[in-house]
Amino acid sequence: MGIKTVYNIKSIIMIIRYLNRSWLGALGLSLCMCSCNDEEQFEPLESQKIISEITLKVSDPLPLLINTDSLVAYEVLPEDANNKNVIWTSSNEEIASVDAEGRIYANNFGKAFITVAPEAGFAGIKTVEVEVIDRIIPIKEILIKNTDLSVYATASLQLETSYLPLEATYSSLSWTSLTPEIASVTDEGLVKGLVPGNAVIRVEARDGGGCFKDVAITVKEVQPLTDIIFKEGQEEVAMYETSKLLFTPVPADATTSTIQWSSTDNNVVSINQETGVYYVKGYGSTVITAKSGDVEANITLTVAPGKINDTFLYGATNWRGFSKDYASAEIVDGKFVVTPGTNQKASIERIYDTDFHAGNYPIVAIKRTDPATSYSMVMDMWTDKNYGAYKGQIQKIIDPADNVPVYYVDISAAQFGSMTLPKDKAETLDVFVYRMNNLGQTENISYSVYWIKSFKSVDELKKYVGVE
């Protein structure tokens, strides 16, 4: 009769986790030998929820004054994990050590990495860089950037801040409502109006220097909606588009922040319930509903192949700097601002694959400022080794609202490299690039992209821009 062995899986996990490599080798051999027996039996595994994510509530890097200590606040997910215990370690205990509770001790000048990991499992490991310093530069003044410090009851207002001096050691702030019956505030400075009245929100530096600022917020009474009328011509949307639907509230001064938004198919278009900002995720159709009390309006959105509608108004971008042909590319005040690299280039590319339809949406346009220097622009696209640079002429019109140029091409009228885009179907291309080459100078040079869109005709483009 063979040997009958029953293993406890939890014991095996603990052995694997804590024994050294030599014992692991011996254990592996032993398990292998035992597993060859036909009569071997194992206990069924119990379903266990382990930590999948750890969030550290500290800045990274984390400056610490020498000979001081700081307890790191953290959260683990899921909340109902069977084992929420974590293990803290330091890459250099002579510089910064850490105890079992997550309290970091600043021992000597320098930098060290503090790591926290689940006691069970290997997911969710987080690391923060600790820099031990000899002095703290405190925040002396907190500034509020918002120009409108009012919010309707039930609506939210994000407070934006800056501080002086800019070289302050710690940038983190704490938020408190001094009038919690009128307005609440989150740890991120998001104020929510509760009832009409005058609220006071206090924002305070967390560096121990005592700097704070009280912000007066007016919470306004809600003006009920009686109707929501969507603007016509919004029924077709573009893949990867991030935008908002245009509508007219009735009456005109009604409180639109009371509207709750929803989508019947979030796999096609998902929408933020409170803000109404939507994101297009897949082809198909969905019904968007805007509801406030008993008032409800619906609009059916269909994702159109070949339509492009890339803007930068809502903090999201489908674009980035191309290869090494730029120094920086980031969203600033709703525009995509690009600065050139030392190679005299400032090119950008679309992050995702792009579906072009030369028959339905032949006009592709970009609204952008001109760099204050000489340059050349090339529109380029390809998949594998097909297609290439646009061989036709790039046209230009001026937006009369702000005198910013709009450059456009007709992708149905010219070749890309040696290839022509089909007019009877959409063509998916891997790369879509606007090359900005041969800049005359690069110092203190940049340009701003307002949007990149496709249109059904030149007339539609001109109508959109407002050109006669």
Side-chain angles (χ1 to χ4, degrees):
M1 180 180 296
I3 299 174
K4 184 175 183 179
T5 306
V6 178
Y7 290 101
N8 185 301
I9 190 65
K10 293 182 180 178
S11 300
I12 294 176
I13 292 175
M14 294 300 294
I15 292 171
I16 293 175
R17 191 172 181 86
Y18 294 109
L19 291 183
N20 60 32
R21 292 183 179 179
S22 62
W23 282 102
L24 284 175
L27 176 65
L29 179 60
S30 174
L31 292 175
C32 179
M33 293 174 63
C34 293
S35 67
C36 294
N37 193 300
D38 293 337
E39 297 185 18
E40 183 179 41
Q41 296 180 3
F42 293 90
E43 294 179 354
L45 295 177
E46 298 178 4
S47 177
Q48 299 287 317
K49 286 188 177 181
I50 63 175
I51 293 175
S52 61
E53 183 178 352
I54 302 174
T55 301
L56 301 180
K57 296 185 174 182
V58 295
S59 60
D60 187 8
L62 174 64
L64 283 183
L65 188 64
I66 192 167
N67 297 324
T68 64
D69 59 80
S70 178
L71 182 64
V72 177
Y74 68 95
E75 291 181 348
V76 300
L77 291 176
E79 294 182 355
D80 59 345
N82 295 88
N83 184 350
K84 291 187 176 183
N85 296 332
V86 296
I87 299 172
W88 297 86
T89 57
S90 171
S91 65
N92 191 332
E93 294 192 349
E94 291 186 0
I95 293 175
S97 56
V98 61
D99 65 18
E101 304 302 319
R103 186 175 295 278
I104 303 173
Y105 299 87
N107 303 322
N108 286 291
F109 296 122
K111 296 180 180 180
F113 292 95
I114 301 298
T115 300
V116 57
E119 184 179 73
F122 301 95
I125 297 173
K126 286 295 176 67
T127 298
V128 61
E129 182 183 24
V130 174
E131 181 178 6
V132 180
I133 57 177
D134 61 351
R135 67 188 182 101
I136 292 176
I137 302 174
I139 292 176
K140 296 294 186 182
E141 184 178 4
I142 300 173
L143 307 173
I144 302 297
K145 296 181 180 180
N146 304 66
T147 57
D148 183 6
L149 293 174
S150 64
V151 62
Y152 284 100
T154 74
S156 298
L157 171 68
Q158 179 64 59
L159 293 178
E160 305 289 344
T161 62
S162 61
Y163 57 83
L164 296 173
L166 298 177
E167 63 272 16
T169 303
Y170 296 102
S171 60
S172 59
L173 304 169
S174 64
W175 298 85
T176 308
S177 175
L178 303 184
T179 52
E181 71 282 0
I182 299 174
S184 63
V185 66
T186 68
D187 293 339
E188 291 75 34
L190 181 66
V191 178
K192 183 171 184 178
L194 302 177
V195 297
N198 296 316
V200 178
I201 304 296
R202 174 167 292 183
V203 54
E204 186 170 4
R206 285 181 169 171
D207 56 19
C211 179
F212 69 90
K213 188 178 187 68
D214 290 341
V215 186
I217 305 290
T218 301
V219 181
K220 299 183 291 186
E221 186 175 358
V222 171
Q223 301 297 321
L225 279 158
T226 60
D227 200 2
I228 301 169
I229 303 173
F230 285 111
K231 182 180 178 181
E232 294 182 356
Q234 303 182 93
E235 291 77 13
E236 287 190 347
V237 294
M239 180 65 79
Y240 307 124
E241 174 182 344
T242 300
S243 191
K244 276 186 174 183
L245 290 166
L246 301 177
F247 64 92
T248 300
V250 180
D253 61 347
T255 306
T256 58
S257 58
T258 61
I259 296 176
Q260 298 289 297
W261 299 86
S262 63
S263 170
T264 58
D265 192 340
N266 287 307
N267 292 320
V268 176
V269 178
S270 62
I271 191 164
N272 185 285
Q273 182 179 5
E274 294 186 355
T275 66
V277 175
Y278 66 79
Y279 175 64
V280 180
K281 301 163 67 174
Y283 284 108
S285 296
T286 185
V287 177
I288 300 297
T289 299
K291 182 176 177 61
S292 177
D294 296 331
V295 177
E296 180 177 313
N298 299 290
I299 182 172
T300 299
L301 301 183
T302 299
V303 184
K307 184 175 177 66
I308 301 170
N309 190 22
D310 295 342
T311 69
F312 311 96
L313 298 173
Y314 304 103
T317 176
N318 294 333
W319 292 78
R320 63 188 174 195
F322 175 64
S323 186
K324 298 180 181 180
D325 294 355
Y326 73 105
S328 65
E330 58 183 346
I331 297 176
V332 180
D333 296 330
K335 304 174 188 65
F336 194 55
V337 180
V338 187
T339 58
T342 55
N343 59 358
Q344 297 180 302
K345 297 179 180 181
S347 304
I348 59 174
E349 69 171 331
R350 201 163 192 253
I351 297 172
Y352 308 105
D353 292 353
T354 305
D355 295 334
F356 292 95
H357 201 304
N360 293 349
Y361 286 93
I363 306 303
V364 178
I366 176 172
K367 179 179 177 179
R368 63 160 176 80
T369 58
D370 282 327
T373 185
S374 58
Y375 69 94
S376 62
M377 181 175 75
V378 177
M379 181 181 176
D380 204 353
M381 60 180 70
W382 66 86
T383 179
D384 295 328
K385 293 186 179 180
N386 294 327
Y387 299 96
Y390 180 69
K391 299 298 185 181
Q393 185 176 0
I394 299 177
Q395 306 287 339
K396 174 182 176 181
I397 57 176
I398 302 295
D399 189 331
D402 48 22
N403 293 319
V404 175
V406 175
Y407 295 91
Y408 68 93
V409 301
D410 185 343
I411 61 174
S412 69
Q415 290 183 324
F416 287 86
S418 60
M419 306 291 290
T420 300
L421 287 169
K423 298 180 182 180
D424 59 343
K425 64 177 181 177
E427 179 86 345
T428 302
L429 300 183
D430 300 334
V431 183
F432 175 19
V433 179
Y434 280 106
R435 296 182 185 270
M436 301 287 284
N437 298 332
N438 305 316
L439 275 74
Q441 64 182 70
T442 57
E443 187 174 353
N444 299 321
I445 294 296
S446 67
Y447 66 92
S448 298
V449 181
Y450 288 63
W451 49 253
I452 298 165
K453 300 173 181 279
S454 63
F455 298 88
K456 295 179 178 179
S457 65
V458 174
D459 287 341
E460 185 185 58
L461 165 63
K462 290 183 176 180
K463 181 178 179 181
Y464 177 80
V465 173
V467 174
E468 296 295 336

